[in-house]
Amino acid sequence: PPMLRWAVLLSCAAVCAASCPFASARGKRAVAAVGDAPWMPQAPVASDPTDPLVQANNLFHTLYYSAGRALLPSALIMVENDYLVLLRRDASGNYTRARVDQITPNIYHELKMVAHLPYAAFVALLPFSQNMTSVFPRAQIITLQSSIQKASVTLSSRFPASQLPRQLSIAGATQAFLGSVLAAGSVSNETLTAFARGVMPDILVNIQDAATAQTDTMIAVLRAWRSGPLADGEWEGLRFVSTASHMAREDNIFSQIFARMLSANPAAPEMEPNGPNMRFVTLDDTDIDEGIASTLLATHHTDYLTGAAFFGDPYRMHRDLLADATTAYLEELFPSKK
């Protein structure tokens, strides 16, 4: 059942976080109570500080953390929302900001916000068109119409002559569609899909313009840094951390740009011919700050080398260590039907 699958996934995530040597970077979980008994993420057998084996295991965690920090470079570049941040290690081994520059130009946001106008209409009507609700969202549509009308008045001051007609077309098509839907008092999935397909050509041009603007801006910043704040030889040993939303991690634009500038494989910048490219890491942007990012980069680097040494597979530690054994055992318990 779906709820059971979610419960299993959440439980696995909690166990992985608790067992990771760097889990403390995100903060420790609070003690809770189950009935009259205290509850902790790990059983007492794994957390008793007086147990010699637990003490040895705790020493492993300390050594693991120290090794990861020692493997980190002197300079690190991190994408943080609209900014590129150059981090340098200080005498104590911690990273501090050495340079911050904006890499997302204003026109990127302008183009994106206009593209969101038809998307707003789409998501406002989506539940009704999918028969997930019988309540037609009339009030929401009227509010959206008013909002788009006010925004449309400002478009001429936001866009150059080469881009303005397209923005007016997107806003106008959205307004016209919302008007027809209001008049009908209903919308089908087919009609909503036809509207989405109809505005896509203009949206795709906005996407291309936004990608071009962001790419040009980031390349200019990186070139300036390479000839300026980066010392001789630092570029070759630089590490790059990109934070992206969960849905935008694949083919991440920033990783692609950095890969091209380093002559890495743009389709898979994390890979080199004989294993992983340890210069690239793309992380979910949830609760990520510079300290956590550098710690997770250390985790990736240490685990690449661990996987290669112990398993002959640099990516082995990037999968659940119990995965293969569990798969084999479950096959014994529940044989696949041939």
Side-chain angles (χ1 to χ4, degrees):
M3 288 302 294
L4 178 57
R5 288 199 296 272
W6 274 110
V8 171
L9 287 171
L10 290 171
S11 297
C12 290
V15 169
C16 290
S19 61
C20 173
F22 292 109
S24 59
R26 290 182 177 271
K28 295 184 180 298
R29 295 176 61 181
V31 177
V34 181
D36 295 328
W39 179 86
M40 289 292 287
Q42 288 188 315
V45 69
S47 56
D48 180 2
T50 65
D51 187 327
L53 185 55
V54 172
Q55 293 171 0
N57 190 54
N58 289 340
L59 179 57
F60 153 71
H61 288 296
T62 300
L63 294 171
Y64 181 100
Y65 179 85
S66 298
R69 301 301 296 182
L71 292 168
L72 287 171
S74 62
L76 169 66
I77 286 181
M78 180 174 175
V79 175
E80 296 188 46
N81 298 314
D82 291 340
Y83 296 89
L84 199 65
V85 181
L86 175 61
L87 301 168
R88 287 191 184 283
R89 296 189 74 179
D90 57 24
S92 62
N94 297 316
Y95 283 102
T96 57
R97 292 180 183 178
R99 181 77 174 263
V100 178
D101 281 320
Q102 183 174 339
I103 55 170
T104 303
N106 293 339
I107 192 62
Y108 167 95
H109 288 295
E110 308 277 18
L111 292 162
K112 181 178 180 180
M113 288 188 286
V114 171
H116 280 169
L117 300 180
Y119 194 20
F122 177 83
V123 294
L125 293 163
L126 187 59
F128 183 84
S129 72
Q130 295 290 319
N131 298 315
M132 299 303 292
T133 177
S134 61
V135 180
F136 182 69
R138 181 174 298 276
Q140 284 184 319
I141 295 173
I142 292 173
T143 300
L144 179 57
Q145 273 192 315
S146 175
S147 181
I148 293 175
Q149 178 59 39
K150 293 176 182 177
S152 297
V153 176
T154 71
L155 295 181
S156 60
S157 64
R158 296 173 182 269
F159 293 94
S162 60
Q163 295 178 333
L164 179 59
R166 187 189 333 131
Q167 315 315 312
L168 293 172
S169 175
I170 293 172
T174 304
Q175 287 285 61
F177 173 70
L178 290 174
S180 66
V181 168
L182 275 177
S186 182
V187 66
S188 66
N189 182 57
E190 291 73 20
T191 300
L192 188 58
T193 300
F195 161 70
R197 300 285 172 82
V199 295
M200 268 310 295
D202 282 341
I203 291 177
L204 285 173
V205 181
N206 269 21
I207 291 172
Q208 183 60 61
D209 284 355
T212 299
Q214 180 142 64
T215 300
D216 287 344
T217 304
M218 182 170 177
I219 288 175
V221 169
L222 285 171
R223 283 176 173 166
W225 285 11
R226 186 175 184 180
S227 61
L230 288 174
D232 292 342
E234 273 192 323
W235 178 262
E236 287 68 25
L238 203 61
R239 298 290 189 273
F240 176 73
V241 177
S242 174
T243 56
S245 65
H246 176 76
M247 300 300 286
R249 288 184 62 181
E250 187 172 352
D251 298 330
N252 178 261
I253 178 175
F254 303 115
S255 293
Q256 288 194 57
I257 294 168
F258 206 70
R260 290 282 186 174
M261 293 193 70
L262 290 174
S263 300
N265 179 1
E270 297 83 4
M271 288 298 296
E272 291 179 335
N274 298 317
N277 185 343
M278 291 181 285
R279 301 179 69 177
F280 295 87
V281 176
T282 302
L283 305 172
D284 280 335
D285 60 7
T286 305
D287 296 329
I288 290 291
D289 61 24
E290 292 162 7
I292 293 174
S294 64
T295 297
L296 289 175
L297 178 63
T299 303
H300 277 262
H301 200 150
T302 305
D303 282 4
Y304 282 138
L305 299 174
T306 299
F310 282 85
F311 298 96
D313 176 4
Y315 280 102
R316 183 62 188 87
M317 297 299 290
H318 288 63
R319 298 190 295 118
D320 190 332
L321 193 59
L322 305 185
D324 296 343
T326 302
T327 299
Y329 183 52
L330 287 172
E331 184 63 25
E332 295 179 16
L333 298 177
F334 308 99
S336 301
K337 295 181 180 180
K338 304 298 184 182

